[in-house]
Amino acid sequence: RSGNSHVIRDLQKVAAGSASQIVVLADTSIPPEDADAKSLRTLLALQTKGWPKNGRIVVQCVSEANKELFKDLYGEGSHKIEVVVVGNIVAKLMAASLRQHGLAGVFGMMLGFDGDEFYIEEWPQLVGCTFREAVFRFPDAVALGVLTADGECRLNPGWEYVIQEHDQVIVLAEDNDTYAPSDEAWYSTHPQPWQPCTLRQVSLESQGPAKPEKVLIIGWNTKMGALLSSLSGMLPKGSTVDIYSPRPAAERKEDVEALQQQSGVTYTFEIKQMEVDASKVSSYLELSQLNHQQYRGIFILAEFDSERGAADERTMMCLAQLQRINRHKKAPAEYHFDPVVEMCEDSTAEHLKMVGLTNFVHSNSLVSQALAAVTENPSVNSIYADLMSGLTNHFEFRRYEDFLPEGQQLPSELSFWEAAYQVSQCGDISLIAWTAPPEVDAESGEGKAGIFDMNPKDKVTPRPWTV
Protein backbone atom coordinates (compact mmCIF):
# COMPACT_ATOMS: atom_id res chain seq x y z
CA ARG A 1 0.00 0.00 0.00
CA SER A 2 1.06 3.61 -0.45
CA GLY A 3 -0.17 6.93 0.88
CA ASN A 4 0.51 9.58 3.52
CA SER A 5 0.76 8.31 7.07
CA HIS A 6 -0.80 11.49 8.46
CA VAL A 7 -3.88 11.41 6.18
CA ILE A 8 -6.90 9.74 7.79
CA ARG A 9 -8.34 8.26 4.58
CA ASP A 10 -4.97 6.64 3.78
CA LEU A 11 -4.78 5.19 7.30
CA GLN A 12 -8.29 3.81 6.82
CA LYS A 13 -7.09 1.89 3.75
CA VAL A 14 -4.77 -0.17 5.97
CA ALA A 15 -7.34 -0.61 8.76
CA ALA A 16 -5.27 1.32 11.29
CA GLY A 17 -8.22 1.41 13.66
CA SER A 18 -8.39 -2.38 14.08
CA ALA A 19 -4.64 -3.05 14.02
CA SER A 20 -3.10 -4.87 16.98
CA GLN A 21 0.25 -3.14 16.41
CA ILE A 22 1.20 -0.02 14.47
CA VAL A 23 4.90 0.65 13.84
CA VAL A 24 5.80 4.23 12.90
CA LEU A 25 9.21 4.32 11.19
CA ALA A 26 11.32 7.45 11.10
CA ASP A 27 12.31 8.96 7.76
CA THR A 28 16.09 8.84 8.16
CA SER A 29 16.65 10.57 4.82
CA ILE A 30 15.85 13.95 6.42
CA PRO A 31 17.35 15.77 9.45
CA PRO A 32 16.49 14.29 12.89
CA GLU A 33 14.13 17.05 13.99
CA ASP A 34 12.29 16.92 10.66
CA ALA A 35 12.01 13.14 10.90
CA ASP A 36 10.53 13.35 14.40
CA ALA A 37 8.18 16.12 13.29
CA LYS A 38 6.93 13.84 10.50
CA SER A 39 6.39 10.99 12.97
CA LEU A 40 4.64 13.35 15.36
CA ARG A 41 2.14 14.28 12.67
CA THR A 42 1.39 10.62 12.10
CA LEU A 43 0.83 10.12 15.84
CA LEU A 44 -1.53 13.09 15.90
CA ALA A 45 -3.52 11.65 13.01
CA LEU A 46 -3.85 8.33 14.83
CA GLN A 47 -4.77 10.04 18.09
CA THR A 48 -7.48 12.06 16.36
CA LYS A 49 -9.38 8.82 15.73
CA GLY A 50 -8.18 7.00 18.83
CA TRP A 51 -6.45 4.42 16.64
CA PRO A 52 -5.66 1.66 17.13
CA LYS A 53 -8.77 0.96 19.21
CA ASN A 54 -7.37 -2.06 21.03
CA GLY A 55 -3.76 -2.09 19.92
CA ARG A 56 -0.40 -0.47 20.60
CA ILE A 57 1.94 1.88 18.76
CA VAL A 58 5.70 1.48 18.45
CA VAL A 59 7.33 4.65 17.14
CA GLN A 60 10.93 5.16 16.13
CA CYS A 61 12.30 8.40 17.57
CA VAL A 62 15.48 9.83 16.07
CA SER A 63 16.33 12.51 18.64
CA GLU A 64 16.33 11.34 22.26
CA ALA A 65 15.25 14.83 23.35
CA ASN A 66 11.86 14.17 21.70
CA LYS A 67 11.19 10.86 23.44
CA GLU A 68 9.17 12.37 26.28
CA LEU A 69 7.31 14.58 23.80
CA PHE A 70 5.97 11.50 22.05
CA LYS A 71 4.98 9.91 25.36
CA ASP A 72 3.35 13.08 26.70
CA LEU A 73 1.26 13.32 23.56
CA TYR A 74 -0.83 10.40 24.81
CA GLY A 75 -1.10 11.57 28.43
CA GLU A 76 -2.94 8.91 30.45
CA GLY A 77 -2.89 6.68 27.39
CA SER A 78 0.91 6.60 27.30
CA HIS A 79 0.77 2.86 28.04
CA LYS A 80 -0.41 2.43 24.44
CA ILE A 81 2.82 3.78 22.95
CA GLU A 82 6.43 2.59 23.05
CA VAL A 83 9.04 5.11 21.91
CA VAL A 84 12.26 3.49 20.67
CA VAL A 85 15.35 5.70 20.22
CA VAL A 86 17.29 3.23 18.09
CA GLY A 87 19.77 5.69 16.57
CA ASN A 88 21.17 6.42 20.01
CA ILE A 89 21.58 2.70 20.69
CA VAL A 90 23.66 2.32 17.52
CA ALA A 91 25.85 5.34 18.34
CA LYS A 92 26.37 4.24 21.95
CA LEU A 93 27.30 0.75 20.77
CA MET A 94 29.86 2.21 18.39
CA ALA A 95 31.38 4.30 21.17
CA ALA A 96 31.48 1.33 23.56
CA SER A 97 33.06 -0.84 20.84
CA LEU A 98 36.09 1.45 20.91
CA ARG A 99 37.02 -0.14 24.25
CA GLN A 100 35.14 -3.44 23.96
CA HIS A 101 35.91 -5.12 20.65
CA GLY A 102 32.96 -7.14 19.35
CA LEU A 103 30.38 -5.61 21.68
CA ALA A 104 28.08 -4.63 18.82
CA GLY A 105 28.07 -8.22 17.60
CA VAL A 106 27.06 -9.47 21.03
CA PHE A 107 24.25 -6.92 21.28
CA GLY A 108 23.12 -7.79 17.77
CA MET A 109 22.89 -11.46 18.76
CA MET A 110 20.55 -10.54 21.62
CA LEU A 111 18.41 -8.34 19.38
CA GLY A 112 17.99 -10.87 16.61
CA PHE A 113 15.51 -13.73 16.31
CA ASP A 114 17.99 -16.34 15.02
CA GLY A 115 19.74 -17.14 18.32
CA ASP A 116 18.97 -16.37 21.94
CA GLU A 117 16.53 -13.59 22.75
CA PHE A 118 15.16 -11.73 25.75
CA TYR A 119 12.19 -13.37 27.42
CA ILE A 120 10.21 -12.06 30.37
CA GLU A 121 7.99 -14.36 32.40
CA GLU A 122 6.56 -14.71 35.89
CA TRP A 123 7.59 -17.83 37.83
CA PRO A 124 5.58 -18.19 41.09
CA GLN A 125 7.91 -20.95 42.33
CA LEU A 126 10.76 -18.42 42.50
CA VAL A 127 8.94 -15.98 44.82
CA GLY A 128 10.99 -15.60 47.99
CA CYS A 129 14.25 -16.74 46.30
CA THR A 130 17.22 -14.44 46.07
CA PHE A 131 18.28 -13.38 42.60
CA ARG A 132 21.44 -15.48 43.08
CA GLU A 133 19.32 -18.59 43.60
CA ALA A 134 17.14 -17.72 40.62
CA VAL A 135 20.15 -17.36 38.33
CA PHE A 136 21.35 -20.88 39.08
CA ARG A 137 17.92 -22.45 38.70
CA PHE A 138 17.80 -21.86 34.93
CA PRO A 139 19.94 -24.58 33.25
CA ASP A 140 18.83 -23.53 29.75
CA ALA A 141 18.85 -19.74 30.10
CA VAL A 142 20.82 -16.88 31.61
CA ALA A 143 18.85 -14.76 34.06
CA LEU A 144 19.62 -11.05 33.68
CA GLY A 145 17.23 -9.27 36.01
CA VAL A 146 13.59 -8.72 36.91
CA LEU A 147 10.67 -6.64 35.73
CA THR A 148 8.87 -5.64 38.92
CA ALA A 149 5.12 -5.62 39.40
CA ASP A 150 5.05 -1.84 38.87
CA GLY A 151 6.89 -2.15 35.54
CA GLU A 152 10.40 -1.17 36.65
CA CYS A 153 13.20 -2.91 34.74
CA ARG A 154 15.97 -3.96 37.13
CA LEU A 155 18.87 -5.64 35.35
CA ASN A 156 21.44 -7.14 37.71
CA PRO A 157 19.32 -6.07 40.73
CA GLY A 158 21.84 -7.39 43.26
CA TRP A 159 22.45 -10.99 44.23
CA GLU A 160 20.53 -10.65 47.49
CA TYR A 161 17.44 -9.14 45.84
CA VAL A 162 14.42 -11.25 46.81
CA ILE A 163 11.99 -12.16 44.03
CA GLN A 164 8.62 -10.61 44.86
CA GLU A 165 5.13 -11.72 43.96
CA HIS A 166 4.30 -10.79 40.35
CA ASP A 167 7.97 -10.06 39.55
CA GLN A 168 8.87 -11.31 36.08
CA VAL A 169 12.34 -12.76 35.46
CA ILE A 170 14.27 -11.42 32.45
CA VAL A 171 16.34 -14.11 30.76
CA LEU A 172 18.31 -14.74 27.61
CA ALA A 173 17.07 -18.01 26.11
CA GLU A 174 16.68 -19.84 22.81
CA ASP A 175 12.87 -19.71 22.90
CA ASN A 176 10.09 -19.14 25.39
CA ASP A 177 9.37 -22.88 25.64
CA THR A 178 12.98 -24.07 25.94
CA TYR A 179 13.62 -23.04 29.54
CA ALA A 180 12.08 -23.29 33.01
CA PRO A 181 13.48 -23.06 36.54
CA SER A 182 14.71 -26.26 38.17
CA ASP A 183 13.64 -27.35 41.65
CA GLU A 184 16.99 -26.52 43.24
CA ALA A 185 19.80 -24.06 42.60
CA TRP A 186 22.81 -25.65 40.87
CA TYR A 187 25.51 -23.95 42.91
CA SER A 188 24.24 -25.34 46.23
CA THR A 189 25.62 -28.77 45.21
CA HIS A 190 28.97 -27.46 43.96
CA PRO A 191 31.74 -29.75 45.30
CA GLN A 192 34.44 -27.06 45.61
CA PRO A 193 34.70 -24.49 48.40
CA TRP A 194 34.57 -20.97 47.04
CA GLN A 195 35.90 -17.79 48.63
CA PRO A 196 34.21 -14.43 48.20
CA CYS A 197 36.54 -11.87 46.67
CA THR A 198 36.56 -8.25 45.62
CA LEU A 199 36.90 -7.42 41.95
CA ARG A 200 40.37 -6.03 41.44
CA GLN A 201 40.24 -2.31 41.81
CA VAL A 202 38.83 -0.83 38.65
CA SER A 203 36.63 -1.56 35.68
CA LEU A 204 37.86 -1.49 32.11
CA GLU A 205 36.51 2.01 31.57
CA SER A 206 38.97 3.43 34.10
CA GLN A 207 41.88 1.19 33.16
CA GLY A 208 42.54 3.09 29.94
CA PRO A 209 45.30 5.68 29.75
CA ALA A 210 44.59 8.85 31.70
CA LYS A 211 46.51 10.97 29.22
CA PRO A 212 44.60 12.72 26.40
CA GLU A 213 43.72 10.60 23.39
CA LYS A 214 43.13 11.31 19.72
CA VAL A 215 40.10 9.88 17.94
CA LEU A 216 39.28 10.06 14.23
CA ILE A 217 35.72 10.01 12.85
CA ILE A 218 35.41 9.46 9.10
CA GLY A 219 31.97 10.40 7.76
CA TRP A 220 28.93 12.22 9.09
CA ASN A 221 25.28 11.30 9.70
CA THR A 222 22.46 11.71 12.23
CA LYS A 223 24.24 9.54 14.81
CA MET A 224 27.01 12.10 15.26
CA GLY A 225 25.38 13.80 18.26
CA ALA A 226 24.87 10.60 20.24
CA LEU A 227 28.36 9.39 19.31
CA LEU A 228 30.03 12.60 20.51
CA SER A 229 27.97 12.58 23.72
CA SER A 230 29.01 8.97 24.41
CA LEU A 231 32.67 9.73 23.73
CA SER A 232 32.47 12.68 26.11
CA GLY A 233 31.90 10.25 28.95
CA MET A 234 34.77 7.99 27.86
CA LEU A 235 37.69 10.11 26.70
CA PRO A 236 40.08 11.79 29.18
CA LYS A 237 39.97 15.57 29.38
CA GLY A 238 42.17 17.27 26.85
CA SER A 239 41.48 14.66 24.16
CA THR A 240 40.91 15.55 20.50
CA VAL A 241 38.27 14.29 18.09
CA ASP A 242 39.01 14.93 14.41
CA ILE A 243 36.09 14.69 11.97
CA TYR A 244 36.86 13.97 8.30
CA SER A 245 33.91 14.47 5.95
CA PRO A 246 33.04 16.11 2.61
CA ARG A 247 30.27 18.05 4.32
CA PRO A 248 31.28 21.75 4.65
CA ALA A 249 33.22 22.32 7.87
CA ALA A 250 31.25 25.47 8.74
CA GLU A 251 27.96 23.53 8.61
CA ARG A 252 29.41 20.76 10.74
CA LYS A 253 30.64 23.25 13.32
CA GLU A 254 27.17 24.79 13.59
CA ASP A 255 25.59 21.35 13.87
CA VAL A 256 27.99 20.30 16.63
CA GLU A 257 27.14 23.42 18.63
CA ALA A 258 23.43 22.74 18.20
CA LEU A 259 23.85 19.08 19.13
CA GLN A 260 25.75 20.01 22.25
CA GLN A 261 23.06 22.45 23.36
CA GLN A 262 20.30 19.97 22.61
CA SER A 263 21.89 17.12 24.57
CA GLY A 264 23.02 19.30 27.47
CA VAL A 265 26.37 17.52 27.40
CA THR A 266 29.57 19.55 27.61
CA TYR A 267 32.15 17.82 25.46
CA THR A 268 35.37 17.07 27.32
CA PHE A 269 37.45 17.13 24.15
CA GLU A 270 38.39 19.50 21.35
CA ILE A 271 36.77 18.94 17.97
CA LYS A 272 38.69 19.62 14.77
CA GLN A 273 36.85 19.70 11.44
CA MET A 274 38.86 18.36 8.49
CA GLU A 275 37.64 19.21 5.00
CA VAL A 276 37.90 17.07 1.90
CA ASP A 277 36.33 17.25 -1.53
CA ALA A 278 33.45 14.78 -1.98
CA SER A 279 35.17 13.21 -4.97
CA LYS A 280 38.35 12.55 -2.99
CA VAL A 281 37.05 11.19 0.32
CA SER A 282 38.46 7.72 -0.28
CA SER A 283 41.58 8.69 -2.23
CA TYR A 284 44.92 7.28 -1.10
CA LEU A 285 46.53 10.72 -1.08
CA GLU A 286 43.87 12.37 1.12
CA LEU A 287 43.68 9.47 3.56
CA SER A 288 47.44 9.16 3.86
CA GLN A 289 47.57 12.79 4.99
CA LEU A 290 45.40 11.90 7.96
CA ASN A 291 48.28 9.92 9.45
CA HIS A 292 45.64 7.63 10.95
CA GLN A 293 48.16 5.57 12.92
CA GLN A 294 48.41 8.42 15.44
CA TYR A 295 44.80 7.88 16.61
CA ARG A 296 43.78 5.83 19.62
CA GLY A 297 40.51 4.96 17.89
CA ILE A 298 38.87 5.30 14.47
CA PHE A 299 35.15 5.41 13.67
CA ILE A 300 33.74 5.19 10.16
CA LEU A 301 30.15 6.45 9.80
CA ALA A 302 28.04 5.73 6.75
CA GLU A 303 27.40 8.82 4.64
CA PHE A 304 23.78 8.69 3.40
CA ASP A 305 23.94 11.31 0.65
CA SER A 306 23.05 8.64 -1.88
CA GLU A 307 21.97 4.99 -1.87
CA ARG A 308 22.91 2.97 1.21
CA GLY A 309 24.83 0.55 -0.97
CA ALA A 310 26.96 3.46 -2.18
CA ALA A 311 27.60 4.42 1.46
CA ASP A 312 29.00 0.94 2.14
CA GLU A 313 31.05 1.08 -1.03
CA ARG A 314 32.70 4.31 0.14
CA THR A 315 33.28 2.76 3.54
CA MET A 316 34.98 -0.32 2.04
CA MET A 317 37.12 1.87 -0.21
CA CYS A 318 38.29 3.96 2.73
CA LEU A 319 39.14 0.84 4.73
CA ALA A 320 41.03 -0.72 1.84
CA GLN A 321 43.07 2.46 1.43
CA LEU A 322 43.81 2.66 5.17
CA GLN A 323 44.97 -0.96 5.16
CA ARG A 324 47.12 -0.22 2.13
CA ILE A 325 48.68 2.69 4.00
CA ASN A 326 49.36 0.33 6.94
CA ARG A 327 51.28 -1.98 4.62
CA HIS A 328 53.34 0.84 3.11
CA LYS A 329 53.96 2.75 6.30
CA LYS A 330 55.24 0.75 9.25
CA ALA A 331 53.11 1.39 12.32
CA PRO A 332 54.42 1.77 15.88
CA ALA A 333 54.78 -1.52 17.76
CA GLU A 334 51.82 -0.77 20.03
CA TYR A 335 49.49 0.22 17.16
CA HIS A 336 46.47 -1.97 16.44
CA PHE A 337 44.28 -1.15 13.46
CA ASP A 338 40.78 -1.89 14.71
CA PRO A 339 38.31 0.71 13.40
CA VAL A 340 34.67 0.72 14.52
CA VAL A 341 32.69 0.58 11.28
CA GLU A 342 29.04 1.36 10.61
CA MET A 343 27.64 -0.68 7.74
CA CYS A 344 24.21 -0.67 6.07
CA GLU A 345 23.90 -3.89 4.07
CA ASP A 346 24.17 -7.55 5.14
CA SER A 347 26.70 -8.41 2.44
CA THR A 348 29.13 -5.82 3.78
CA ALA A 349 29.67 -7.89 6.92
CA GLU A 350 31.22 -10.70 4.87
CA HIS A 351 33.35 -8.22 2.94
CA LEU A 352 34.68 -6.75 6.20
CA LYS A 353 35.50 -10.20 7.55
CA MET A 354 37.32 -10.98 4.32
CA VAL A 355 39.78 -8.18 5.04
CA GLY A 356 40.15 -9.13 8.71
CA LEU A 357 37.84 -6.51 10.26
CA THR A 358 35.15 -7.59 12.72
CA ASN A 359 34.47 -4.53 14.88
CA PHE A 360 31.42 -3.34 12.95
CA VAL A 361 27.86 -2.21 13.68
CA HIS A 362 25.05 -3.15 11.28
CA SER A 363 22.94 -0.04 11.84
CA ASN A 364 19.99 -0.97 9.60
CA SER A 365 19.76 -4.44 11.08
CA LEU A 366 19.94 -3.20 14.68
CA VAL A 367 17.17 -0.68 14.01
CA SER A 368 14.84 -3.25 12.44
CA GLN A 369 15.62 -5.92 15.03
CA ALA A 370 15.04 -3.56 17.94
CA LEU A 371 11.73 -2.31 16.54
CA ALA A 372 10.57 -5.85 15.81
CA ALA A 373 11.51 -7.04 19.30
CA VAL A 374 9.69 -4.15 20.99
CA THR A 375 6.65 -4.74 18.76
CA GLU A 376 6.54 -8.37 19.89
CA ASN A 377 7.19 -7.54 23.56
CA PRO A 378 7.01 -3.86 24.63
CA SER A 379 8.82 -4.62 27.90
CA VAL A 380 12.01 -5.23 25.91
CA ASN A 381 12.22 -1.47 25.31
CA SER A 382 13.05 -0.87 28.98
CA ILE A 383 15.81 -3.50 28.78
CA TYR A 384 17.45 -1.69 25.87
CA ALA A 385 17.15 1.63 27.69
CA ASP A 386 18.84 0.19 30.79
CA LEU A 387 21.64 -1.54 28.89
CA MET A 388 22.52 1.46 26.77
CA SER A 389 22.11 4.22 29.37
CA GLY A 390 25.40 3.25 31.03
CA LEU A 391 23.97 4.59 34.31
CA THR A 392 23.33 1.31 36.11
CA ASN A 393 24.70 -1.51 33.95
CA HIS A 394 27.10 -1.93 31.07
CA PHE A 395 28.86 -4.66 29.13
CA GLU A 396 32.47 -5.58 29.79
CA PHE A 397 34.73 -8.33 28.48
CA ARG A 398 36.95 -9.46 31.34
CA ARG A 399 39.56 -12.12 32.00
CA TYR A 400 38.42 -14.80 34.43
CA GLU A 401 41.43 -14.23 36.70
CA ASP A 402 40.06 -10.75 37.48
CA PHE A 403 37.39 -12.45 39.56
CA LEU A 404 39.69 -14.79 41.50
CA PRO A 405 41.00 -14.06 45.02
CA GLU A 406 44.59 -12.83 45.14
CA GLY A 407 47.00 -15.74 44.78
CA GLN A 408 44.46 -18.27 43.47
CA GLN A 409 45.67 -20.13 40.41
CA LEU A 410 43.76 -20.00 37.15
CA PRO A 411 42.10 -23.39 36.55
CA SER A 412 43.06 -25.40 33.48
CA GLU A 413 39.42 -26.33 32.95
CA LEU A 414 36.28 -24.36 33.66
CA SER A 415 32.54 -24.77 33.18
CA PHE A 416 30.17 -21.91 32.52
CA TRP A 417 28.40 -22.48 35.86
CA GLU A 418 31.71 -22.37 37.76
CA ALA A 419 32.62 -19.11 36.06
CA ALA A 420 29.16 -17.69 36.69
CA TYR A 421 29.30 -18.61 40.38
CA GLN A 422 32.74 -17.12 40.92
CA VAL A 423 31.71 -13.94 39.10
CA SER A 424 28.66 -13.76 41.38
CA GLN A 425 31.03 -13.32 44.31
CA CYS A 426 31.97 -9.97 42.78
CA GLY A 427 28.46 -8.78 42.05
CA ASP A 428 28.35 -9.33 38.27
CA ILE A 429 26.62 -11.74 35.90
CA SER A 430 28.55 -14.12 33.68
CA LEU A 431 27.02 -13.85 30.23
CA ILE A 432 29.81 -14.34 27.67
CA ALA A 433 32.40 -17.12 27.59
CA TRP A 434 35.39 -16.55 25.29
CA THR A 435 37.17 -19.64 24.04
CA ALA A 436 40.19 -17.66 22.88
CA PRO A 437 41.43 -14.07 23.07
CA PRO A 438 41.39 -11.95 19.90
CA GLU A 439 44.32 -12.70 17.61
CA VAL A 440 46.39 -9.83 16.27
CA ASP A 441 48.45 -10.21 13.11
CA ALA A 442 51.97 -9.13 14.05
CA GLU A 443 52.79 -7.79 10.57
CA SER A 444 49.63 -5.87 9.68
CA GLY A 445 48.38 -5.05 13.16
CA GLU A 446 44.88 -6.16 12.16
CA GLY A 447 42.72 -8.10 14.61
CA LYS A 448 40.55 -11.17 14.43
CA ALA A 449 37.93 -11.56 17.11
CA GLY A 450 37.80 -14.54 19.43
CA ILE A 451 34.82 -16.87 19.43
CA PHE A 452 32.18 -16.37 22.11
CA ASP A 453 29.17 -18.37 23.11
CA MET A 454 26.17 -16.76 24.78
CA ASN A 455 23.94 -18.90 26.99
CA PRO A 456 25.93 -22.09 26.23
CA LYS A 457 23.77 -25.20 26.06
CA ASP A 458 26.17 -27.19 28.25
CA LYS A 459 26.85 -25.15 31.37
CA VAL A 460 28.09 -28.08 33.47
CA THR A 461 30.92 -29.80 31.54
CA PRO A 462 34.33 -28.13 32.10
CA ARG A 463 36.32 -27.16 29.04
CA PRO A 464 39.96 -26.07 28.64
CA TRP A 465 40.55 -22.52 29.84
CA THR A 466 43.65 -20.47 29.10
CA VAL A 467 44.84 -16.95 29.88
Side-chain angles (χ1 to χ4, degrees):
R1 301 294 181 106
S2 62
N4 292 321
S5 61
H6 61 270
V7 176
I8 299 298
R9 65 174 179 274
D10 288 342
L11 291 171
Q12 286 176 324
K13 292 177 182 178
V14 292
S18 59
S20 60
Q21 299 276 0
I22 294 178
V23 181
V24 181
L25 298 177
D27 184 352
T28 56
S29 66
I30 58 180
E33 288 298 325
D34 293 343
D36 284 347
K38 192 173 181 179
S39 296
L40 180 67
R41 195 173 181 190
T42 298
L43 293 176
L44 287 170
L46 292 169
Q47 192 182 33
T48 299
K49 291 291 187 177
W51 293 343
K53 297 294 185 182
N54 298 304
R56 298 180 59 88
I57 299 172
V58 177
V59 57
Q60 179 185 355
C61 178
V62 181
S63 176
E64 188 167 20
N66 294 325
K67 181 177 181 178
E68 290 305 315
L69 172 65
F70 286 0
K71 294 287 286 187
D72 291 345
L73 187 65
Y74 278 75
E76 295 181 357
S78 60
H79 63 280
K80 292 185 60 174
I81 182 172
E82 286 294 334
V83 185
V84 185
V85 192
V86 186
N88 280 14
I89 292 177
V90 173
K92 290 175 180 178
L93 272 177
M94 292 189 71
S97 296
L98 180 65
R99 298 276 191 260
Q100 304 276 295
H101 180 105
L103 176 60
V106 172
F107 203 80
M109 289 174 64
M110 292 190 294
L111 284 177
F113 294 98
D114 293 334
D116 294 294
E117 307 169 43
F118 293 120
Y119 291 98
I120 306 170
E121 190 167 343
E122 182 179 345
W123 299 97
Q125 61 266 51
L126 296 180
V127 173
C129 293
T130 65
F131 184 63
R132 183 195 302 275
E133 292 174 307
V135 166
F136 291 94
R137 285 178 62 173
F138 285 102
D140 300 306
V142 175
L144 304 177
V146 296
L147 189 69
T148 64
D150 59 1
E152 180 187 4
C153 176
R154 298 189 61 179
L155 297 181
N156 192 18
W159 291 105
E160 303 311 316
Y161 174 85
V162 178
I163 305 295
Q164 305 294 314
E165 189 175 5
H166 302 308
D167 277 358
Q168 298 180 75
V169 181
I170 303 168
V171 304
L172 193 68
E174 185 177 359
D175 210 335
N176 61 355
D177 59 356
T178 61
Y179 77 100
S182 58
D183 293 334
E184 295 184 357
W186 176 87
Y187 79 90
S188 62
T189 60
H190 197 286
Q192 280 188 296
W194 289 89
Q195 303 176 19
C197 66
T198 302
L199 185 60
R200 296 177 187 173
Q201 298 301 317
V202 291
S203 69
L204 286 180
E205 275 75 9
S206 56
Q207 285 183 7
K211 62 182 181 179
E213 301 178 21
K214 296 190 70 174
V215 170
L216 173 64
I217 301 176
I218 296 176
W220 182 282
N221 61 32
T222 57
K223 302 176 187 67
M224 182 62 74
L227 179 58
L228 292 175
S229 294
S230 299
L231 289 176
S232 187
M234 294 172 50
L235 299 178
K237 289 185 177 180
S239 297
T240 302
V241 174
D242 293 347
I243 302 176
Y244 172 86
S245 168
R247 190 175 182 184
E251 289 184 15
R252 283 184 271 147
K253 185 177 179 180
E254 290 179 3
D255 285 348
V256 166
E257 292 174 355
L259 290 169
Q260 192 167 203
Q261 291 177 356
Q262 186 182 60
S263 65
V265 176
T266 301
Y267 299 151
T268 57
F269 44 77
E270 179 186 359
I271 297 177
K272 295 182 179 179
Q273 302 289 355
M274 309 170 72
E275 291 200 72
V276 61
D277 187 271
S279 63
K280 300 179 180 178
V281 173
S282 58
S283 78
Y284 181 89
L285 178 61
E286 293 291 341
L287 290 171
S288 63
Q289 292 176 0
L290 292 177
N291 190 20
H292 70 274
Q293 295 173 349
Q294 67 178 307
Y295 293 98
R296 168 70 173 77
I298 299 175
F299 296 93
I300 299 185
L301 295 178
E303 295 263 12
F304 295 143
D305 292 340
S306 56
E307 295 295 326
R308 294 184 182 271
D312 278 3
E313 289 168 4
R314 284 196 297 268
T315 294
M316 291 303 303
M317 187 63 175
C318 285
L319 287 168
Q321 296 286 29
L322 293 174
Q323 288 183 313
R324 179 187 174 200
I325 293 169
N326 286 340
R327 291 191 294 270
H328 292 174
K329 183 178 180 181
K330 187 172 180 60
E334 68 278 6
Y335 179 70
H336 178 205
F337 183 64
D338 185 30
V340 182
V341 182
E342 178 189 12
M343 65 179 209
C344 303
E345 296 187 326
D346 291 335
S347 59
T348 307
E350 296 304 317
H351 301 160
L352 288 168
K353 292 175 184 177
M354 284 281 292
V355 294
L357 299 174
T358 56
N359 205 9
F360 51 79
V361 178
H362 192 336
S363 58
N364 285 350
S365 177
L366 285 175
V367 169
S368 58
Q369 287 173 339
L371 288 170
V374 174
T375 300
E376 182 176 347
N377 186 346
S379 298
V380 172
N381 198 20
S382 59
I383 300 176
Y384 297 157
D386 188 300
L387 286 175
M388 297 314 303
S389 69
L391 299 177
T392 54
N393 295 285
H394 55 269
F395 287 102
E396 285 191 3
F397 298 151
R398 302 298 298 259
R399 293 182 181 276
Y400 179 64
E401 54 263 38
D402 288 342
F403 300 95
L404 296 177
E406 291 287 349
Q408 183 169 322
Q409 293 293 319
L410 185 71
S412 59
E413 290 188 324
L414 186 69
S415 73
F416 183 82
W417 276 138
E418 289 170 330
Y421 184 76
Q422 185 58 35
V423 168
S424 79
Q425 304 300 300
C426 304
D428 293 301
I429 297 176
S430 180
L431 179 63
I432 304 162
W434 287 82
T435 57
E439 299 177 0
V440 179
D441 186 271
E443 183 175 343
S444 66
E446 294 161 7
K448 295 183 178 180
I451 301 171
F452 53 83
D453 185 12
M454 300 176 62
N455 182 30
K457 301 302 175 278
D458 184 356
K459 298 181 175 66
V460 177
T461 306
R463 61 180 179 183
W465 196 268
T466 58
V467 176

